[in-house]
């Protein structure tokens, strides 16, 4: 005599499908979050807009755009404030080195 397994209850079948769909959704979600983080995190270099002329040998550490002006922080502990046209408005010495 060949014993056949009893048929699966309908509730168990629905639960199995829901768990499978949830697992697939979680996998797609994790892949999406990782992809967004990889593509949106900044690289190691800071790009200074072309209209802002920094002194020779100055390395930009951070660039911030505000309404009406730009702020550039440099690796040698100085802050430059430029207007929207790229004219240097002010240079501020911080007194200690920023970053590496």
């Amino acid at each position: 005599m060949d014993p056949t397994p009893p048929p699966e209850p309908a509730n168990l079948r629905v639960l199995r499908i829901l768990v499978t769909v949830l697992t697939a959704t979680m996998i797609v979600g994790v892949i999406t979050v990782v992809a967004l983080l990889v593509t949106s995190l900044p690289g190691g270099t800071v790009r200074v807009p072309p209209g802002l002329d920094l002194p020779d040998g100055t390395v930009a550490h951070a660039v911030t755009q505000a309404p009406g002006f730009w702020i550039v922080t440099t690796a040698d502990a100085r802050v430059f404030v430029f207007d929207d046209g790229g004219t240097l408005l002010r240079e501020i010495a911080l007194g200690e080195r920023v970053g590496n």
Side-chain angles (χ1 to χ4, degrees):
M1 192 166 169
D2 188 21
T4 59
E8 191 174 64
N11 290 344
L12 185 59
R13 172 181 256 188
V14 171
L15 184 61
R16 186 179 307 224
I17 291 171
L18 287 175
V19 168
T20 303
V21 169
L22 179 61
T23 302
T25 303
M26 291 292 290
I27 290 171
V28 169
V30 167
I31 290 171
T32 302
V33 167
V34 168
L36 288 173
L37 285 174
V38 166
T39 59
S40 66
L41 288 178
T45 60
V46 176
R47 293 187 185 102
V48 177
L52 305 180
D53 292 326
L54 294 175
D56 290 337
T58 303
V59 178
H61 187 71
V63 178
T64 303
Q65 182 181 13
F69 60 93
W70 291 80
I71 299 172
V72 180
T73 306
T74 63
D76 60 353
R78 290 186 290 170
V79 176
F80 295 99
V81 181
F82 296 92
D83 67 5
D84 279 336
T87 305
L88 179 64
L89 299 176
R90 189 166 182 193
E91 177 182 344
I92 303 165
L94 297 177
E96 64 181 57
R97 198 167 165 77
V98 177
N100 295 334

